[in-house]
Amino acid sequence: MYITTQQAVSAVAADAVTRELRDRAEITDALYRFGLGQDLKDGELFASAFAEDAELDFRPAAAAWGAEPPLMSGRDTIVTTVLAMFEGRVDTTHQVTNPRVAVDGDTARLTALVEAQHLLIASRGTHALLKNLYDVDLVREGERWLLRRVRIDNLWYTGDPTAVFSG
């Protein structure tokens, strides 16, 4: 069978589109793993979102109510710190909306809105609802995209911030 130049060009273009769509899905999935890993308190799922040298900066969001959490560096530190902060104390749900993705080779930039509900287990009437803007740098590792830098800014919140950070 003979393949024309136009067919070959079309096939290459289709492959490029397929790769871009796959990348965008994987990039967004990294943020889904971040949120759902916390919600399920699943350390393996949560860790799967991060590059080994990841950085998580929740300081801009926490400044909205006067909290001063540390800058977290390294996948293991992030996973241990965040999950320990909520384990047995807080139930969370994270909803990701409006993801915007820009891919540049093996790096990418993602912005998204994330609504995070925090509910104290011991006192279900104590909760905080946060609407945060996530600004994320990612890196490709094989076929998977991983969060390298996550900066979280708070747009608004309602409720009691002790549902996020203990008093």
Side-chain angles (χ1 to χ4, degrees):
M1 175 173 193
Y2 176 74
I3 296 177
T4 67
T5 302
Q6 183 176 351
Q7 288 171 323
V9 168
S10 293
V12 169
D15 287 346
V17 168
T18 299
R19 181 175 177 99
E20 180 177 347
L21 292 173
R22 185 178 335 113
D23 283 346
R24 288 176 177 275
E26 283 292 328
I27 288 164
T28 306
D29 186 63
L31 191 53
Y32 293 153
R33 295 190 313 267
F34 171 93
L36 190 59
Q38 288 178 75
D39 297 343
L40 299 177
K41 295 169 185 58
D42 181 332
E44 187 175 325
L45 178 60
F46 190 50
S48 76
F50 296 100
E52 187 175 342
D53 62 346
E55 181 179 281
L56 176 60
D57 190 359
F58 192 72
R59 297 174 303 175
W65 59 84
E68 297 178 2
L71 174 67
M72 291 176 251
S73 297
R75 176 178 44 226
D76 294 341
T77 298
I78 293 167
V79 171
T80 301
T81 302
V82 171
L83 293 184
M85 186 169 60
F86 297 142
E87 186 65 42
R89 192 181 77 79
V90 179
D91 282 331
T92 63
T93 57
H94 290 78
Q95 296 176 346
V96 177
T97 63
N98 301 23
R100 299 288 301 154
V101 174
V103 178
D104 185 11
D106 288 335
T107 63
R109 179 94 181 265
L110 165 69
T111 58
L113 294 175
V114 178
E115 191 168 279
Q117 176 78 39
H118 298 73
L119 181 68
L120 286 183
I121 293 170
S123 175
R124 294 292 190 188
T126 305
H127 68 278
L129 177 62
L130 313 170
K131 179 65 86 171
N132 295 324
L133 177 62
Y134 280 50
D135 184 2
V136 183
D137 292 328
L138 299 98
V139 62
R140 184 194 320 261
E141 263 189 33
E143 290 300 313
R144 179 158 264 190
W145 285 89
L146 302 173
L147 309 174
R148 171 158 288 152
R149 184 195 58 83
V150 181
R151 178 185 163 96
I152 304 171
D153 285 302
N154 182 252
L155 300 174
W156 57 260
Y157 77 92
T158 185
D160 186 343
T162 61
V164 181
F165 296 108
S166 57

